[in-house]
Amino acid sequence: MSSRRPRIIDMHCHVHPPEIAKTDPLWPNGDCPICIEALLDSHEKAGIDFAVVTNSLHYLKGKDDKTSLEGLKRWHEYAAEIQEKYADRIVCFAGTIPTGGDAFTREFERAITQLGLKGAFINSSHNGHYPDEDDARPFLKLCADLDVPVMIHAPPS
């Protein structure tokens, strides 16, 4: 029997790109704890070995498609950067709006195939739309074709 302790994995944690963390309205002093350094520090203190990192995407609620897509692109670029930097500690999931249409599906595909993100992260609703709508079928088919997991998160309210 091995004396090695099992790895402890956090399957649900969020970080923001630095510029989003600095402007988070919940943390008006710019001390938002949802940043990669704070996450890794808290994991180290708690004995957590590895994490699946996502972006909560809640700050896209109520935003138009163009703003939302730009926010997702920024998350994907940042996620690829931190996933590479901390490869021994994290993997990152790409975020998307499954009912957003072709541009969102293409950006999600880029995040997986070109940036190397490891799965999909979606909210259970976005601006009155839900992932069980017909408009989400192309996204869900792509996830199946790419053989990536899909994590569905509850909305903030």
Side-chain angles (χ1 to χ4, degrees), residues 29-121:
N29 296 325
D31 56 355
C32 177
I34 307 177
C35 64
I36 190 63
E37 296 82 8
L39 175 76
L40 294 176
D41 183 56
S42 67
H43 280 179
E44 178 127 353
K45 290 175 182 170
I48 296 172
D49 302 302
F50 200 79
V52 175
V53 177
T54 66
N55 184 305
S56 69
L57 308 178
H58 296 317
Y59 60 89
L60 300 179
K61 183 179 179 180
K63 305 284 188 206
D64 61 56
D65 284 353
K66 181 181 178 191
T67 303
S68 295
L69 187 58
E70 288 304 313
L72 290 168
K73 287 178 181 179
R74 174 61 183 126
W75 163 247
H76 297 154
E77 298 290 335
Y78 180 69
E81 181 183 310
I82 62 172
Q83 180 175 263
E84 182 177 334
K85 183 174 183 179
Y86 302 107
D88 60 329
R89 310 260 322 263
I90 68 168
V91 293
C92 293
F93 278 19
T96 196
I97 299 168
T99 56
D102 192 50
F104 287 88
T105 301
R106 282 193 321 268
E107 173 55 23
F108 172 76
E109 183 173 26
R110 180 186 81 92
I112 300 298
T113 63
Q114 294 177 28
L115 299 177
L117 302 187
K118 304 300 183 191
F121 178 80

Side-chain angles (χ1 to χ4, degrees), residues 21-33:
K22 288 178 186 171
T23 62
D24 189 315
L26 296 175
W27 304 92
N29 296 325
D31 56 355
C32 177

